[in-house]
Amino acid sequence: MFTTSRYCSKSTRELAKQLSSFFNTFYIARTKKTIDELVSFSRKKGEHRICIIKENKDNNPAFIEFINIDELGKWSWIENRVQITNEVDNS
C-alpha cells in the first residue's frame, strides 16, 4: 500500500497513486491518519507493507520509507529507505 506524509503536495500524491497502480496495490490519502490507522486499513486489505512517500523542504518527493506489518498486526519501520531523484541516466 502507498501513502504520503501528512499535508503533502499534489505532485507527491500523484506519484503515490502512480506507484500504487504500477505495483498493483492500494493508495490511501494520508491526511490526518495515524500510522496505527494506516496499519489497520492495510491489514483489512491484506497488505503486509506500507510505503510512505515523504517530501523534502521544497515540497518535492524525496524518499520512500517502509513499514512492515506482521501477521499479528504489529508494525515496525524498515531501516532502509529509497531516495527519489530527478536524475536520468542516458548511458
Side-chain angles (χ1 to χ4, degrees), residues 35-36 38-50 66-78:
I35 296 295
D36 288 329
L38 292 173
V39 167
S40 176
F41 179 82
S42 184
R43 287 195 70 219
K44 288 177 185 174
K45 294 291 188 179
E47 300 285 321
H48 300 286
R49 180 164 293 153
I50 300 174
F66 303 94
I67 294 174
N68 190 52
I69 307 167
D70 70 14
E71 57 276 349
L72 299 175
K74 294 183 180 181
W75 62 270
S76 60
W77 290 99
I78 297 174

Side-chain angles (χ1 to χ4, degrees), residues 23-84:
F23 287 105
N24 196 28
T25 189
F26 300 94
Y27 164 77
I28 184 169
R30 172 78 187 269
T31 59
K32 295 183 179 182
K33 292 175 184 68
T34 66
I35 296 295
D36 288 329
E37 290 171 325
L38 292 173
V39 167
S40 176
F41 179 82
S42 184
R43 287 195 70 219
K44 288 177 185 174
K45 294 291 188 179
E47 300 285 321
H48 300 286
R49 180 164 293 153
I50 300 174
C51 306
I52 302 176
I53 301 176
K54 296 196 173 185
E55 296 180 327
N56 60 19
K57 63 181 178 178
D58 298 322
N59 294 325
N60 292 315
F63 53 91
I64 303 173
E65 290 187 338
F66 303 94
I67 294 174
N68 190 52
I69 307 167
D70 70 14
E71 57 276 349
L72 299 175
K74 294 183 180 181
W75 62 270
S76 60
W77 290 99
I78 297 174
E79 290 187 29
N80 297 329
R81 66 183 187 179
V82 175
Q83 186 172 356
I84 300 170

Side-chain angles (χ1 to χ4, degrees), residues 5-22:
S5 54
R6 292 181 172 185
Y7 314 112
C8 66
S9 66
K10 183 177 180 180
S11 62
T12 301
R13 285 191 304 275
E14 287 300 318
L15 177 61
K17 290 175 188 177
Q18 290 173 359
L19 287 172
S20 66
S21 177
F22 179 81

